[in-house]
Amino acid sequence: MQQHVLLVEDEKNIARFIELELKHEQFSVTVCSNGREGLEAAQKQDFDVILLDVMLPELNGIEVCRRVRATSNVPIILITARDAVIDRVAGLDAGADDYIVKPFAIEELLARVRSILRRVTTTEIATQQLIFKEISVDPTAYCAYVDEGLLSLTKTEFDLLSLLIENKNRVCTRDQILEQVWGYRTDVETNVVDVYIRHLRSKLPKFASVYIETVRGVGYVMRE
């Protein structure tokens, strides 16, 4: 089945180039040129992944991301300006799963799209329920619970929690987490992991200090 990508980009030349490359890779593509149009498309249709520019007319990409994430766990990759660190952090805080910085090689963008879709597929076919103290994760239903309460997690937060529980009592380095959750290696931007750990802890307020332990200079672990 052909996978459907929503591309929200106001620079026509860039949008056309990305669209052609995605179609060449056998994706179906819907293109929107402003934030409001992109938000409406995301709310009306089901997409496999959204490519979302940050600097958009009418409604900026951060706000679009936040509104989409309020009702959907669709993977979102932000397209940000060079060195716009504040945009990256704001985007991750708004619920984006990944980001790529302009100017970028189209091969890298395509690799990130494939990677995030592999993560979705891998999670969908997983069947083993994960248990850690009061936390339970059901990969089949794509749900996580603390006691009887359902946790509201983005896809990346869900994958991160699953990884930590799968490796309970073993420290996961930031690089390992990037590779296994985000699906690619990088020598920089490991602070992305810290941002998502913070998000995850905020959704486990009673148990954050007990369950997700920081190993300084290394990574994170959930210990029994």
Side-chain angles (χ1 to χ4, degrees):
M1 183 177 177
Q2 194 174 39
Q3 291 171 307
H4 196 179
V5 177
L6 172 61
L7 171 61
V8 190
E9 169 62 67
D10 64 318
E11 295 186 45
K12 292 183 179 180
N13 291 339
I14 294 177
R16 182 57 176 163
F17 175 64
I18 295 175
E19 179 187 11
L20 291 174
E21 291 293 331
L22 287 168
K23 287 183 175 179
H24 181 72
E25 296 293 319
Q26 306 305 310
F27 290 102
S28 172
V29 184
T30 294
V31 180
C32 297
S33 59
N34 66 68
R36 195 165 302 281
E37 180 184 346
L39 177 61
E40 291 175 356
Q43 292 173 335
K44 291 179 180 178
Q45 301 180 57
D46 291 327
F47 293 95
D48 294 289
V49 63
I50 297 175
L51 301 179
L52 181 61
D53 190 28
V54 171
M55 300 301 293
L56 292 169
E58 298 194 26
L59 199 64
N60 70 61
I62 303 299
E63 184 60 26
V64 173
C65 180
R66 183 177 293 109
R67 295 191 191 186
V68 170
R69 185 58 72 227
T71 58
S72 172
N73 285 324
V74 59
I76 299 174
I77 300 176
L78 287 182
I79 301 174
T80 74
R82 181 192 293 272
D83 297 328
V85 176
I86 190 170
D87 286 342
R88 304 179 210 175
V89 173
L92 294 172
D93 284 340
D97 296 277
D98 197 1
Y99 61 82
I100 189 167
V101 180
K102 293 179 180 178
F104 53 81
I106 190 63
E107 292 82 6
E108 181 183 2
L109 178 62
L110 293 173
R112 295 200 180 198
V113 171
R114 289 191 295 266
S115 174
I116 208 166
L117 290 173
R118 280 197 302 271
R119 287 162 49 197
V120 173
T121 302
T122 299
T123 303
E124 286 176 347
I125 64 176
T127 58
Q128 184 178 4
Q129 189 172 33
L130 304 172
I131 304 293
F132 186 87
K133 298 184 180 180
E134 290 86 356
I135 301 174
S136 61
V137 175
D138 185 346
T140 303
Y142 217 82
C143 294
Y145 304 86
V146 171
D147 290 325
E148 300 299 320
L150 178 66
L151 293 173
S152 177
L153 302 178
T154 68
K155 183 188 183 309
T156 299
E157 292 164 353
F158 182 91
D159 291 345
L160 177 56
L161 178 62
S162 299
L163 176 66
L164 291 172
I165 294 178
E166 287 172 355
N167 291 276
K168 58 187 176 184
N169 301 317
R170 293 182 296 195
V171 177
C172 294
T173 69
R174 290 173 175 81
D175 286 337
Q176 289 172 335
I177 293 171
L178 278 175
E179 181 182 0
Q180 295 185 50
V181 175
W182 277 262
Y184 62 91
R185 288 185 179 274
T186 178
D187 295 327
V188 294
E189 311 299 355
T190 53
N191 62 310
V192 170
V193 175
D194 302 326
V195 171
Y196 272 89
I197 289 290
R198 176 160 53 84
H199 289 332
L200 195 52
R201 281 173 167 164
S202 72
K203 295 182 179 181
L204 298 168
K206 289 173 57 180
F207 309 111
S209 60
V210 178
Y211 284 169
I212 304 177
E213 177 183 335
T214 301
V215 181
R216 293 191 179 279
V218 182
Y220 298 94
V221 61
M222 297 179 77
R223 301 187 194 274
E224 288 187 307

